[in-house]
Amino acid sequence: MDLGLAIKERALTIGFDLAGIAPLGVWRDLEFSRQWVEKGFNGEMSYLENPKRFDPRLVLPSAKSVICLGLVYNAPFPCSTEVSEGTGKNQESGVRSQKKEDRARNPLVRPGPPVAGDDGQRTTGNGQPTPRAWISRYAWGHDYHQIMRARLEQLRAVVEELAPGVETRVFVDTGPVVERAFARFSGIGWMGKNTCIINQEKGSWFFLGVILTSLELAPDLPAPDRCGSCTACLEACPTGALVEPYVMDASRCISYLTIELHCSIPDEFRPKIGHNVFGCDICQDVCPWNNSRQSSVLSSQQVTSQQRHSSDRHHATHPATTKVSQFHPMTVAAIHPAPEDGGVRKQLTTEDGPLTMDDGPLTTDHRPLATGPASYSLYNPPLDALASISPEGFRRIFAHSPIKRAKLSGWLRNLCVAMGNSGDERFVPWLEQAAKRSDPVVREHAAWALKRLRGK
Ligand code: B12
Ligand code: SF4
Ligand code: SF4
């Protein structure tokens, strides 16, 4: 059997959802990446300026081909554009909510969040719904770097077994490799106008991993671009980060602003961030290829016949859902108060009183699913519940989550922005405490949020 084919088959056995082979010489894309950085589109992500990124031979001199792998992380819960933000009086997110009847027809929409005890109708004493936050789909569960790397190492062992003496380098996300440049030439998907790699059967909710190898493997044919005349992602982006089709100014992207940026978020973007407290899914949520009903329409109306492919009939099956249970939303459960610890429960919820920002006793814990009424999942979580996580709780709960990347300072900063955008004055006491914290970034965003809430 052809060596490349054997490797791809073993990749699927190991548990990857997609596998393809790209040539090394994707020079036009790598040059594009270099120019992209020169334009300053990388914001403060200086690691994207590493010259090794623009020539994979600087990473592995013997490199000849690139094995590209995809692992689906999509847990089948409704999109950010389909859920309520709570009271949402101060929203300026620019997201066009789907019409009610659209939501009703959408097979992805299921009532209520996936945790027993959290009925999705969380209210405070006066019956007002509690605003909900949005955490990006990729960060609902366990950190993907470890999961991907373990599988990539398994595949690397296979490659070394099949071709003794081969040289390899394995990357997922953090290395000096422009992963999407190779992915889009490996047949596993095309690059959408939202800049994500999209697979026509699986959608775009998948992570990428690559193995640079000294093997000269036969490359796969690139997948045809199936965006057609659609521009839904460009229109939906609240911050105008998709400056033209296929090009993102990352310094405007909510994912960058809430995760990668470690200082103050420019004022102009804060109202547009809406309830996104970690990352943003909007340009993927609106993509027809992540919605089975709409993608069939796109397939029949907007993609030219030359672009069509025999497997179009599989559309109804996507977007694919993950086989990795660790990517499902993590549940955070309140520790029920010990008898000698009577005040702790009160700090957890707004039902019983005002929120506090507590640096003292542990108020939250991460437990297995469905532990009790005070548990909530990271899928569309109540903003007040996130605010009740103590600094020590943040470190412990998110120890194995992508969310730790924001660090406590970025996380509290993001909560302040979401609270300011919520229009809900019940956050005032929490924000007043945040405005006294030693961290100047948190203090300044809390002051901004207070002004926004009071001036609404
Ligand atoms: C920096 C980074 C970000 C930045 C910038 C994103 C961006 N679009 O550039 C920020 C923080 C905003 C970000 C956000 C997200 N990211 Co990110 N990110 C990266 C990282 C580390 C580097 C990307 C990069 O090099 N950007 C620079 C641009 C120029 O490169 P590029 O987007 O890959 O662009 C290619 C095309 O744009 C193409 N191109 C574009 N226009 C044109 C025009 C012409 C003429 C040509 C020739 C080429 C061309 O050239 C480039 C090379 O092919 C990669 C991991 C890696 N090491 O590669 C993950 C990665 C791209 N991110 C990923 C994910 C999952 C996300 C998020 C979904 C997370 C979230 N929800 O918050 C969002 C998605 C936002 C989006 N619409 O892209 C996945 C993508 C998976 C997929 N299916 O595509 C990756 C691959 C990580 C991984 N290993 O899984 N990310
Ligand atoms: S992730 Fe959000 S902010 Fe970034 S480009 Fe997509 S829609 Fe715009
Ligand atoms: S929303 Fe439309 S234009 Fe954007 S990536 Fe999806 S299909 Fe392409």
Side-chain angles (χ1 to χ4, degrees), residues 417-430:
V417 173
M419 286 181 191
N421 290 337
S422 73
D424 193 326
E425 286 164 34
R426 288 168 297 176
F427 289 121
V428 165
W430 189 95

Side-chain angles (χ1 to χ4, degrees), residues 13-94:
T13 314
I14 285 169
F16 287 109
D17 296 292
L18 296 162
I21 291 168
L24 195 74
V26 297
W27 304 118
R28 196 162 152 257
D29 274 43
L30 296 179
E31 175 55 19
F32 175 87
S33 297
R34 199 181 55 75
Q35 288 170 6
W36 184 85
V37 164
E38 278 172 9
K39 286 180 190 147
F41 285 166
N42 57 325
E44 293 186 9
M45 297 181 288
S46 54
Y47 64 93
L48 297 177
E49 293 158 21
N50 184 345
K52 288 186 180 172
R53 298 190 89 242
F54 315 127
D55 187 349
R57 293 168 303 189
L58 299 176
V59 177
L60 177 65
S62 62
K64 301 235 168 31
S65 31
V66 185
I67 306 164
C68 299
L69 295 314
L71 185 64
V72 170
Y73 60 87
N74 177 34
F77 300 111
C79 295
S80 65
T81 46
E82 296 168 331
V83 296
S84 153
E85 298 188 9
T87 51
K89 288 175 197 151
N90 262 8
Q91 299 298 331
E92 230 181 80
S93 65

Side-chain angles (χ1 to χ4, degrees), residues 194-195 233 236-242 248-250 252-257 276 279-284:
N194 62 7
T195 76
C233 53
C237 175
T239 56
L242 298 169
M248 177 198 283
D249 176 352
R252 303 181 68 88
C253 174
I254 293 170
S255 276
Y256 165 81
L257 296 167
N276 290 293
C280 171
D281 289 333
I282 293 166
C283 58
Q284 294 187 87

